[in-house]
Amino acid sequence: MTVADAAWDDESLDAVAIPEEDEQRLIRAFRIGAAVGLVVFLVVLTGARTTLLGWAPSGDFYDAQAESLLDGRLDIDADRLGIEAFTHDGRAYMYQPPFPAILRLPITAVSDAFAGRLGQLSMLAAALVALSATRRILIEARRALRPTSATTRLELGLGFACGLVVAGGSVPVFLASRAWVYHEAALWGMAWTLAAFAALLRLRRSPSWGATALVGGASLGAVGSRTSVGAGACAAIGLLALLVLFERRDEPWRARLSGPMGTATLLGVAAIPAVAHMGLNVLKFGSPGNPPWAEQAFSKISPGRQAMLDANDGSLFGPQFSPTTLLHYLRPDGLDVTTVFPFVDFEAPGGPIVGDVVFDLVDRTASIPASLTVLVVGALVGAWTLLRRRGNDVGTWLCIAAGGLAGSLTIVPFGYVAHRYLADVMPLLVLLTAYGIHALLADLDRRDLADDPRRRPVRVVAWTGLVVLTAAAVWINSGLATVYQRLYVPTADPDLVAGLIDARTTVGSPPTTIRVEGGLPERGGKGTVAIVGDCEALYVWDGTPAGEFRRDAWVPVERARAAGHVTARLDPGDLRPGVRYPVVYAPNAGPVIAWIEVAEDGRVVAGLSGLEGERMGRPVAPLGRDDLDIVLDPYVGEAVVRLADQILVSAPLPRGADVTDLRVGSSGGVAGFEGTTPIGDVSDRGGGASDSLCRSLLDS
């Protein structure tokens, strides 16, 4: 009796001698590898800081959705969503499904003080779900291909490598580079799809209503987090339902349709997430299909997006995009190896584009073969074995793999290329890799090569290849995550950028450094560091084309007071509620005033006056953090007020604005402001300090 035969009868599983001790050894090896990978994941997730409550731009969308759900509605304050808001019938909605918001409900019901700070915890939870599902798939592959085999050292090594790569050497570690809505949705979609695949394998092996419920819950979570990859889970369930109908063709219709593994049951489980998603879209957008892209706030203000929609019949989807997306995602050379830390990088954004097609964006993206090599190799072995129809219950694995392929292909006809979308391919790669690992081991078992001394050179080569591929996977993916987090991400944290440049000065080839006077050059070489004046400011060129999201490709690293940078310690308890207090006054730049106000509930709001219209941020809870960071940068043209790690308000500043006479804690008599602000510990932070990165670059 095979495991596949036993799948129809719980009691008959006893007839298969499954060595639990050997499975536990494999599980331990996987968990050790996963633990090592999670260290890499956490270092990237926190930016090497000691908190899992860091704030991120666009990291509060799910918090806003949770708040609205608690109020019994779906719409969200348009100011919270900004350019991502879809307006329908006078109300604003987010297009991301709400499952990660539902996870926040217990915390949001108690307090909304952590808005924008729960993303890291949520993404860590998603990574743990993905690892748990991967472990389950690995064990199910063992039971399908080698249920009675003893564990070998090679198997333990492969299990360790699998855990390490999934946690710290593949797409999840890149997603950890910023805990904002886009990465969080992708990680949860990947995690729940893997969980659905694992639950399907368990259901097939040991049918029960509990296993059916797990399949339904995981697929609902997948579609409710990211529809594209979640559709793959639904497709896998539907295909398995058809397989069951075929396999049980000699049984009565009632038996074929009913029960935990019945065709009707599985089709119902597959339909529930799809119906729920379409119903939610009807409530939000008035249509069960894709959101109306023309109604998004970004589409209304972006000439580039409008031109793209006009050229593609108002949609971001279409077969015309497929040649370009396939080129970027499948090209073998989709990675740039450099001489500066971390020695890997994305290629420049923007192209190539196949044919006369208008894309929304072709962002920095490393290809699947180049960045996920070890998983691609494992998946090819698994696919080859499945297509040759070797092993037990091949039909089930083929159905799930076909579902994973369907979920992966959703990123192909999409007019937007981005590295985060590779998360949609991960469930397929992990599934096939798990199968490929045990297919390879089963072949070695049959040939009895484990202890053959004549095969020692082969084993040495195999172990060397495994170590090299695994190490390369961690290096490449953590490196891409690092350079994205600390350089390419919009509104990069200057402290994180400084950490990257500091590492480049001590590891590998130092970056090219130039000194300029009076302003920044229009262009620079990739990674070039520019020092303005006598360390007035320090910038690095990242090559991002100027557009709606970035005004300049020069990324701030350090800025002194001469470049409009001031930090101050402020105790909100010293301020009277409802009064605007000036923090920094630039009389020769408009004038421009950066100010703060404390509400009755203790929340802090910041604003910028004197620019094109007044800019005012949303009130936030200070959470005991009272360091204000104010920048009025005339070189890249930005004005920003931060409270610790959180951006309170930002606005464009005229380039070349005169910020030489900054006054702290005073409005210079401008009406509408309290005369002075009780501020302590004002510092001239950045390039002018004796211990700054800029000074160290000059000294070297």
Side-chain angles (χ1 to χ4, degrees):
M1 178 178 290
T2 66
V3 174
D5 296 329
W8 301 109
D9 186 354
D10 290 346
E11 296 181 359
S12 64
L13 284 173
D14 296 334
V16 181
I18 296 177
E20 183 177 345
E21 182 179 346
D22 288 305
E23 286 189 356
Q24 290 303 316
R25 291 180 65 195
L26 175 59
I27 290 172
R28 283 195 295 271
F30 176 86
R31 285 175 172 168
I32 294 172
V36 176
L38 278 174
V39 172
V40 179
F41 181 88
L42 284 170
V43 169
V44 175
L45 183 67
T46 61
R49 292 165 172 163
T50 57
T51 180
L52 280 169
L53 293 173
W55 180 87
S58 301
D60 64 342
F61 286 12
Y62 289 126
D63 304 287
Q65 183 70 83
E67 293 168 14
S68 67
L69 290 175
L70 289 171
D71 291 337
R73 54 189 176 85
L74 287 171
D75 61 292
I76 302 172
D77 181 3
D79 291 337
R80 295 281 289 274
L81 297 176
I83 62 173
E84 293 290 350
F86 282 81
T87 303
H88 182 70
D89 288 340
R91 297 182 178 182
Y93 302 92
M94 62 186 290
Y95 68 86
Q96 286 89 358
F99 190 85
I102 294 173
L103 296 179
R104 285 165 160 78
L105 289 177
I107 297 176
T108 306
V110 176
S111 172
D112 61 356
F114 295 97
R117 298 186 179 277
L118 297 175
Q120 290 177 332
L121 287 173
S122 176
M123 293 178 71
L124 176 59
L128 294 175
V129 170
L131 287 168
S132 178
T134 301
R135 173 188 60 80
R136 185 74 256 170
I137 292 171
L138 193 64
I139 293 300
E140 293 293 347
R142 190 183 206 280
R143 292 182 176 182
L145 291 167
R146 9 192 334 268
T148 59
S149 298
T151 306
T152 64
R153 284 180 294 180
L154 180 58
E155 180 179 2
L156 296 179
L158 289 168
F160 174 90
C162 185
L164 175 57
V165 168
V166 172
S170 56
V171 183
V173 77
F174 169 78
L175 297 177
S177 61
R178 173 164 280 192
W180 56 356
V181 62
Y182 317 105
H183 288 189
E184 188 178 347
L187 188 53
W188 271 117
M190 183 200 89
W192 283 124
T193 301
L194 282 169
F197 289 175
L200 267 177
L201 292 168
R202 174 181 174 180
L203 175 65
R204 177 67 160 171
R205 176 178 54 80
S206 182
S208 68
W209 287 110
T212 304
L214 284 176
V215 172
S219 58
L220 188 62
V223 174
S225 300
R226 180 164 165 78
T227 310
S228 56
V229 67
C234 295
I237 300 169
L239 290 171
L240 189 57
L242 298 178
L243 177 65
V244 169
L245 187 66
F246 174 77
E247 288 182 336
R248 293 184 169 186
R249 58 188 178 277
D250 295 331
E251 299 181 21
W253 277 101
R254 183 181 181 87
R256 297 162 69 183
L257 296 177
S258 60
M261 271 292 296
T263 295
T265 302
L266 291 175
L267 289 177
V269 169
I272 288 173
V275 172
H277 173 72
M278 290 188 291
L280 190 65
N281 275 3
V282 169
L283 291 175
K284 293 197 297 186
F285 311 124
S287 170
N290 290 318
W293 297 106
E295 295 183 11
Q296 190 179 27
F298 179 64
S299 300
K300 297 177 181 179
I301 64 171
S302 168
R305 168 64 69 80
Q306 292 166 7
M308 185 270 179
L309 292 175
D310 290 342
N312 296 285
D313 298 324
S315 176
L316 268 68
F317 291 88
Q320 68 273 20
F321 301 120
S322 300
T324 299
T325 56
L326 287 171
L327 171 65
H328 283 273
Y329 292 137
L330 298 181
R331 56 189 297 185
D333 61 339
L335 187 68
D336 191 8
V337 179
T338 69
T339 60
V340 296
F341 181 83
F343 311 113
V344 291
D345 204 343
F346 297 99
E347 293 190 341
I353 294 177
V354 180
D356 187 18
V357 183
V358 181
F359 269 73
D360 194 32
L361 179 65
V362 177
D363 203 358
R364 292 180 172 87
T365 304
S367 67
I368 295 170
S371 63
L372 303 176
T373 309
V374 65
L375 289 177
V376 169
V377 171
L380 288 174
V381 174
W384 172 253
T385 306
L386 276 174
L387 293 175
R388 292 174 65 195
R389 303 191 67 80
R390 295 168 56 184
N392 292 321
D393 203 14
V394 171
T396 298
W397 287 83
L398 282 173
C399 288
I400 299 176
L405 180 61
S408 302
L409 290 177
T410 56
I411 67 174
V412 174
F414 186 40
Y416 197 117
V417 177
H419 192 72
R420 64 177 179 268
Y421 296 150
L422 299 192
D424 288 9
V425 185
M426 282 290 293
L428 174 65
L429 295 181
V430 169
L431 179 86
L432 292 177
T433 295
Y435 200 86
I437 285 173
H438 288 290
L440 175 64
L441 292 170
D443 188 61
L444 295 177
D445 291 343
R446 282 191 297 271
R447 299 186 185 191
D448 196 22
L449 299 177
D451 299 316
D452 188 343
R454 293 173 300 177
R455 300 290 179 171
R456 179 179 176 83
V458 176
R459 292 198 297 272
V460 170
V461 171
W463 275 103
T464 302
L466 177 62
V467 171
V468 169
L469 284 176
T470 303
V474 175
W475 162 54
I476 289 172
N477 288 278
S478 61
L480 292 176
T482 297
V483 74
Y484 181 79
Q485 178 188 62
R486 296 171 179 261
L487 188 57
Y488 297 137
V489 70
T491 62
D493 186 333
D495 288 340
L496 293 180
V497 182
L500 175 64
I501 304 305
D502 188 30
R504 287 182 171 179
T505 63
T506 57
V507 181
S509 300
T512 302
T513 303
I514 61 174
R515 296 192 66 178
V516 297
E517 295 290 341
L520 293 165
E522 291 186 4
R523 295 190 58 82
K526 186 175 183 179
T528 298
V529 174
I531 298 174
V532 179
D534 185 23
C535 278
E536 293 178 15
L538 183 70
Y539 302 88
V540 58
W541 177 269
D542 76 344
T544 301
E548 286 101 351
F549 300 108
R550 291 278 294 274
R551 298 190 69 204
D552 207 305
W554 288 106
V555 180
V557 184
E558 287 183 337
R559 291 173 284 206
R561 188 159 180 166
H565 188 194
V566 173
T567 61
R569 182 168 294 276
L570 181 71
D571 185 357
D574 294 338
L575 307 181
R576 290 187 290 118
V579 176
R580 290 187 175 184
Y581 288 90
V583 180
V584 172
Y585 172 50
N588 301 326
V592 174
I593 300 177
W595 53 268
I596 62 168
E597 181 179 331
V598 178
E600 294 288 347
D601 60 1
R603 293 176 179 272
V604 175
V605 62
L608 292 162
S609 298
L611 301 172
E612 294 182 3
E614 184 177 71
R615 296 291 184 97
M616 185 169 65
R618 184 175 58 85
V620 300
L623 292 180
R625 298 174 174 86
D626 53 2
D627 287 333
L628 277 174
D629 189 288
I630 304 96
V631 171
L632 302 176
D633 187 333
Y635 298 119
V636 295
E638 68 174 11
V640 183
V641 178
R642 286 183 171 89
L643 180 65
D645 61 343
Q646 182 168 357
I647 296 176
L648 299 183
V649 64
S650 63
L653 182 77
R655 294 180 189 272
D658 186 352
V659 296
T660 55
D661 186 24
L662 293 183
R663 304 178 189 179
V664 179
S666 171
S667 64
V670 176
F673 297 91
E674 192 76 6
T676 59
T677 305
I679 294 177
D681 298 330
V682 177
S683 62
D684 180 4
R685 183 187 176 195
S690 60
D691 60 347
S692 69
L693 174 60
C694 182
R695 291 296 178 193
S696 68
L697 287 173
L698 287 180
D699 293 341
S700 63

